[in-house]
């Protein structure tokens, strides 16, 4: 028996791997249903700004539009991995504090998401100490915060971080967090980029305050068409999605698989990312977004659109004006 296997079995005894969870035991104060991602901002590499400048006014716009939650993707790893003892840079953390505090005062649930830890995906064992050190610090820093602050362990585990290895590290992170945050909602997702297919490999600790996330961009040729950051999709264009019975059935089959998995494990589901980028035909983009949102709600999933004001965005960052058709596809007009 390998050392890693022994560690996993030991942790399983402590945490109770694979036990069925009861929804009634989950925290109600962190309940949310309609969420917006603020991407391409705090998840950019350190000292390399991307196209979204982070602003507190975004939270105001999100709240007024009818969302009850904001997901904050943050590249914490860049502010810890090269520091002594992996201590997060305090100036950066004070900035994060300010955004969290502001959003909470508005009455928004805040999902603090560890995003773009690419080194962990490539070399999990080499960077696992950084990963756990960051979560130990975040858990201690925010232990007195209200339960409307939610932790998401890691965005889109992929590469070498998969299967048993990811199950091991997610379990260790939950143990670290629970030392200081007994009841805080913690979001965890499967490997293969939080894909539906990755659920078959996901093993959950016994914990009444877990929520499972998945991401959905199917069909990829439609949602990522013309996207220069996805090899093979750069030159795709004019690919439509019209909501035919066959197209809608494909969505339903995929979401039903998630629903059945979640019911077997007694865990809440969060559709943490879905979206079609602005290169997609406008009417098709609206139809697809509405169809996915409605199906998520039918299944009882909370959801979060990707994203506010970049390539997949539905708000102009300069004017703060919403694409009303897209907003209405997400938030049903009263």
């Amino acid at each position: 028996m390998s050392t890693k296997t022994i560690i996993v079995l030991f942790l399983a005894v402590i945490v109770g791997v694979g036990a069925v969870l009861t929804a009634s035991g989950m925290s109600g104060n962190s309940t949310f249903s309609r969420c917006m991602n603020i991407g391409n901002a705090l998840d950019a590499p350190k000292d390399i700004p991307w196209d979204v400048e982070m602003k507190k006014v975004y939270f105001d716009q999100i709240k007024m539009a009818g969302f009850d939650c904001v997901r904050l993707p943050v590249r914490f790893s860049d502010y810890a991995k090269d520091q002594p003892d992996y201590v997060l840079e305090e100036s950066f953390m004070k900035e994060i504090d300010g955004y969290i505090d502001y959003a909470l005062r508005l009455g928004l649930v805040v999902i603090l998401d560890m995003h773009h830890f690419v080194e962990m995906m490539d070399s999990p064992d080499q960077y696992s100490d950084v990963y756990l050190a960051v979560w130990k610090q975040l858990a201690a820093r925010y232990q007195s915060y209200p339960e409307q602050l939610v932790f998401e362990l890691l965005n889109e585990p992929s590469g070498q971080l998969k299967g048993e290895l990811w199950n091991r590290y997610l379990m260790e992170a939950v143990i670290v967090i629970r030392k200081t945050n007994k009841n805080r909602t913690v979001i965890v997702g499967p490997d293969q980029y939080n894909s539906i297919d990755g659920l078959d490999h996901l093993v959950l600790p016994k914990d009444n305050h877990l929520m499972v996330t998945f991401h959905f961009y199917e069909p990829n040729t439609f949602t990522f068409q013309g996207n220069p950051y996805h090899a093979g999709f750069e030159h795709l264009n004019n690919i439509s999605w019209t909501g035919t019975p066959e197209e809608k059935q494909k969505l339903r089959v995929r979401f039903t698989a998630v629903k059945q998995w979640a019911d077997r494990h007694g865990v809440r589901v969060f559709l943490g990312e879905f979206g079609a980028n602005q290169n997609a035909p406008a009417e098709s983009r609206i139809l697809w977004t509405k169809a996915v949102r409605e199906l998520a709600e039918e299944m009882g999933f909370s959801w979060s659109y990707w994203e506010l004001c970049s390539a997949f965005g539905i708000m102009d960052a300069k004017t703060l004006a919403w694409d009303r058709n897209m907003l209405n596809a997400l938030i049903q007009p009263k």
Side-chain angles (χ1 to χ4, degrees), residues 27-32 35 63 68-72 99-112 142-152 181 183-187 211 268:
S27 172
N29 291 335
S30 61
T31 299
F32 60 93
C35 189
K63 175 68 174 182
D68 57 14
C69 173
V70 62
R71 182 173 180 252
L72 283 184
Y99 296 131
I100 294 173
D101 292 342
Y102 190 84
L104 290 175
R105 285 197 297 270
L106 290 176
L108 290 166
V109 170
V110 177
I111 298 171
L112 196 59
Y142 298 119
Q143 62 182 307
S144 63
Y145 271 58
E147 292 181 9
Q148 286 84 358
L149 177 62
V150 173
F151 293 158
E152 183 171 347
N181 294 256
N183 299 317
R184 190 172 306 284
T185 298
V186 174
I187 296 174
M211 196 172 196
R268 293 181 293 173

Side-chain angles (χ1 to χ4, degrees), residues 79-109:
Y79 299 86
K81 61 185 174 65
D82 298 321
Q83 301 300 313
D85 299 320
Y86 311 129
V87 175
L88 286 157
E89 294 182 24
E90 183 62 17
S91 59
F92 179 70
M93 289 311 303
K94 286 182 178 178
E95 179 184 353
I96 301 301
D97 293 346
Y99 296 131
I100 294 173
D101 292 342
Y102 190 84
L104 290 175
R105 285 197 297 270
L106 290 176
L108 290 166
V109 170

Side-chain angles (χ1 to χ4, degrees), residues 64-179:
M64 288 188 293
F67 297 91
D68 57 14
C69 173
V70 62
R71 182 173 180 252
L72 283 184
V74 183
R75 195 182 294 235
F76 288 109
S77 54
D78 272 19
Y79 299 86
K81 61 185 174 65
D82 298 321
Q83 301 300 313
D85 299 320
Y86 311 129
V87 175
L88 286 157
E89 294 182 24
E90 183 62 17
S91 59
F92 179 70
M93 289 311 303
K94 286 182 178 178
E95 179 184 353
I96 301 301
D97 293 346
Y99 296 131
I100 294 173
D101 292 342
Y102 190 84
L104 290 175
R105 285 197 297 270
L106 290 176
L108 290 166
V109 170
V110 177
I111 298 171
L112 196 59
D113 159 47
M114 184 183 287
H115 211 89
H116 286 316
F117 194 172
V118 293
E119 298 87 353
M120 182 74 173
M121 314 298 181
D122 295 336
S123 305
D125 288 334
Q126 181 179 347
Y127 284 92
S128 61
D129 287 349
V130 181
Y131 174 66
L132 295 173
V134 169
W135 272 119
K136 181 178 180 181
Q137 293 170 74
L138 295 177
R141 189 179 192 96
Y142 298 119
Q143 62 182 307
S144 63
Y145 271 58
E147 292 181 9
Q148 286 84 358
L149 177 62
V150 173
F151 293 158
E152 183 171 347
L153 291 186
L154 186 65
N155 180 74
E156 298 188 346
S158 57
Q160 299 305 308
L161 187 59
K162 57 186 176 181
E164 179 183 321
L165 197 58
W166 171 228
N167 290 329
R168 169 190 167 192
Y169 288 134
L170 76 86
M171 191 188 310
E172 291 181 356
V174 170
I175 291 172
V176 166
I177 290 169
R178 289 295 176 238
K179 289 179 180 179

Side-chain angles (χ1 to χ4, degrees), residues 6 18 42 57 63-64 74 90 153 168 181-182 206 234 246 254 260 323 325:
I6 293 173
L42 298 172
V57 70
K63 175 68 174 182
M64 288 188 293
V74 183
E90 183 62 17
L153 291 186
R168 169 190 167 192
N181 294 256
K182 300 298 184 184
K206 182 181 179 181
E234 308 95 323
E246 292 78 12
R254 297 294 275 162
Q260 292 174 344
D323 178 330
N325 290 324

Side-chain angles (χ1 to χ4, degrees), residues 202-315:
L202 183 64
V203 178
L204 296 175
K206 182 181 179 181
D207 189 305
N208 285 339
H209 302 283
L210 288 185
M211 196 172 196
V212 170
T213 188
F214 75 103
H215 293 176
F216 191 78
Y217 292 96
E218 300 174 18
N220 289 355
T221 51
F222 167 69
T223 61
F224 288 109
Q225 61 184 293
N227 191 311
Y229 302 105
H230 284 73
F233 294 84
E234 308 95 323
H235 305 299
L236 298 179
N237 63 83
N238 293 322
I239 298 174
S240 298
W241 192 92
T242 58
T244 65
E246 292 78 12
E247 287 174 327
K248 287 188 174 181
Q249 181 60 18
K250 287 181 180 179
L251 301 186
R252 180 169 294 277
V253 167
R254 297 294 275 162
F255 276 53
T256 298
V258 177
K259 173 67 172 171
Q260 292 174 344
W261 186 93
D263 287 347
R264 289 197 303 271
H265 292 80
V267 67
R268 293 181 293 173
V269 174
F270 173 47
L271 172 53
E273 290 185 17
F274 71 103
N277 83 70
Q278 295 170 359
N279 294 315
E283 186 59 32
S284 291
R285 190 174 178 233
I286 295 164
L287 288 172
W288 181 88
T289 300
K290 186 173 186 288
V292 173
R293 187 266 300 171
E294 288 180 339
L295 189 54
E297 292 176 350
E298 177 187 331
M299 298 282 175
F301 304 162
S302 301
W303 53 261
S304 187
Y305 182 77
W306 184 270
E307 38 66 31
L308 181 65
C309 55
S310 187
F312 286 71
I314 65 170
M315 191 190 78

Side-chain angles (χ1 to χ4, degrees), residues 50-68:
W50 281 352
D51 62 318
V52 177
E53 179 185 356
M54 191 65 189
K55 300 175 184 177
K56 288 181 179 177
V57 70
Y58 296 157
F59 299 108
D60 296 284
Q61 295 300 109
I62 289 168
K63 175 68 174 182
M64 288 188 293
F67 297 91
D68 57 14

